[in-house]
């Protein structure tokens, strides 16, 4: 698998609010993303992660996390600086 190169990223702090259990489906971690618009602060992801050593782990309620948005060069527009 080829590694992607990203042109722009932003990382926002978040907190795992709860783990959602649904019979027959993988558990989901509900994360509140700080600095996001009020109505869009909560995201849910499968609660499965892997360490650098390949160990499978899961998030626990109350965990502090970083949520990173990364965009490749072809997905961004360079904005002009504000002129006063």
């Amino acid at each position: 698998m080829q590694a992607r190169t990203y042109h722009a990223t932003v990382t926002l702090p978040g907190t795992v609010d709860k783990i959602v259990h649904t019979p027959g489906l993988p558990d989901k971690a509900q994360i509140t993303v700080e600095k996001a618009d009020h109505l869009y602060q909560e995201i849910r992801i499968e609660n499965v992660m892997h360490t650098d050593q390949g160990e499978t782990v899961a998030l626990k309620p109350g965990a502090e996390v970083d949520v990173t948005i990364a965009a490749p060069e072809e997905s961004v527009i360079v904005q002009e600086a504000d002129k006063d």
Side-chain angles (χ1 to χ4, degrees):
M1 182 165 96
Q2 184 178 351
R4 273 192 176 184
T5 302
Y6 294 104
H7 185 71
T9 63
V10 63
T11 300
L12 303 171
T15 304
V16 177
D17 291 325
K18 63 182 175 179
I19 305 303
V20 179
H21 306 283
T22 305
L25 296 174
D27 286 351
K28 302 272 182 166
Q30 180 173 302
I31 300 169
T32 296
V33 180
E34 295 176 31
K35 299 183 182 178
D37 285 350
H38 178 70
L39 293 175
Y40 303 99
Q41 286 183 330
E42 294 177 352
I43 62 171
R44 288 186 180 181
I45 62 167
E46 277 193 29
N47 194 17
V48 177
M49 300 175 71
H50 302 282
T51 66
D52 293 340
Q53 295 76 33
E55 182 179 23
T56 301
V57 297
L59 295 167
K60 57 185 177 180
E64 293 181 7
V65 298
D66 289 328
V67 178
T68 300
I69 312 300
E73 186 171 8
E74 64 272 9
S75 298
V76 299
I77 298 169
V78 177
Q79 296 186 347
E80 294 183 29
D82 290 336
K83 297 178 183 179
D84 293 328

